[in-house]
Amino acid sequence: MTRLAKGSTIRRDAGLYGYERALARQGLEPVAGVDEAGRGACAGPLVAAAVVLDRQIPGLADSKLLTEKRREACFDLIMARAADVSVVIVPAADCDKMGLHQANIAALRRALWRLEVRPGYVLTDGFPVDGLGVPGLAIWKGDRVSASIAAASVVAKVTRDRLMVRMHEDFPAYDFATHKGYSTPVHQAALRDHGPCDQHRKTYVNVKAAMERSA
């Protein structure tokens, strides 16, 4: 990953589109933002998204700061108005096989490579992702300060939440529709009572413990 070009320092009050505007002034557009959802969950897939924006999205913010209703509204606007969007879904079994971090990096790369609009610069949330083929920058809490990353976070989060709601229909005992696979007290109780299902990540400590108890 690279640093921003000289003269592209972002002021704290630049707003959510500050990075994108600065990069455009340097001729480094279009800008793609990439982010993922589901890293901390012990069940369900990891979902990565890449988004290229060419206009502002009303109401856009970090997906974690939005209510479910506002996330859904933002998702619809992004899908309708973004220059390009791509999504990669990594099943729980592949997260176990590859290791979560490697699965995450691979998913972010694949999401970027699947874009039809070739980005001139890539913004990632939190940590650098090598092998993207274009210059980029990792931004601490990027989903709160970059519109492109925020849009990717919304797409990834809403996509994954919808998958978990559908998964609930096949595995109703775990209440995936409510906690989306994260280790809440309700989920932990279901693991103790029923043991893990096919959608649990078997390398996670709490899932391993549930497997041992049910063996």
Side-chain angles (χ1 to χ4, degrees):
M1 302 294 280
T2 62
R3 295 186 177 184
L4 287 174
K6 186 177 180 180
S8 297
T9 302
I10 309 300
R11 293 171 47 186
R12 290 189 178 185
D13 61 352
L16 191 62
Y17 294 83
Y19 278 92
E20 285 76 11
R21 287 194 295 266
L23 289 165
R25 289 195 295 269
Q26 296 293 327
L28 294 170
E29 55 184 342
V31 177
V34 292
D35 202 4
E36 87 290 321
R39 274 181 66 92
C42 67
L46 178 74
V47 177
V51 177
V52 177
L53 297 176
D54 59 359
R55 69 190 77 179
Q56 294 194 10
I57 304 297
L60 179 62
D62 172 13
S63 63
K64 295 183 289 298
L65 302 179
L66 298 173
T67 64
E68 181 178 356
K69 182 177 181 180
R70 289 187 62 193
R71 275 198 306 270
E72 291 281 348
C74 274
F75 176 90
D76 291 341
L77 286 173
I78 293 164
M79 299 304 292
R81 300 184 183 187
D84 203 359
V85 177
S86 70
V87 176
V88 169
I89 299 169
V90 183
D94 288 348
C95 292
D96 285 336
K97 182 178 179 180
M98 299 173 67
L100 183 64
H101 183 67
Q102 290 304 316
N104 191 14
I105 294 293
L108 293 171
R109 286 183 186 138
R110 286 165 55 200
L112 181 72
W113 295 339
R114 287 184 181 182
L115 289 171
E116 295 183 5
V117 174
R118 184 64 176 170
Y121 204 90
V122 180
L123 299 174
T124 62
D125 183 30
F127 57 87
V129 180
D130 295 328
L132 297 178
V134 292
L137 179 71
I139 305 173
W140 175 246
K141 293 188 176 180
D143 44 9
R144 299 192 181 192
V145 297
S146 161
S148 298
I149 299 176
S153 78
V154 168
V155 171
K157 171 68 173 169
V158 172
T159 299
R160 188 178 185 279
D161 282 359
R162 291 177 178 180
L163 290 172
M164 297 307 295
V165 170
R166 290 200 291 270
M167 192 180 295
H168 173 79
E169 298 175 2
D170 295 325
F171 303 96
Y174 299 95
D175 198 21
F176 289 142
T178 300
H179 55 68
K180 309 301 189 296
Y182 289 89
S183 299
T184 65
V186 170
H187 192 183
Q188 290 291 92
L191 271 172
R192 288 193 299 269
D193 293 342
H194 306 287
C197 70
D198 292 342
Q199 298 300 328
H200 281 95
R201 300 177 188 175
K202 308 304 190 295
T203 55
Y204 278 49
V205 172
N206 62 328
V207 179
K208 281 184 178 180
M211 290 173 64
E212 292 171 358
R213 286 194 298 268
S214 61

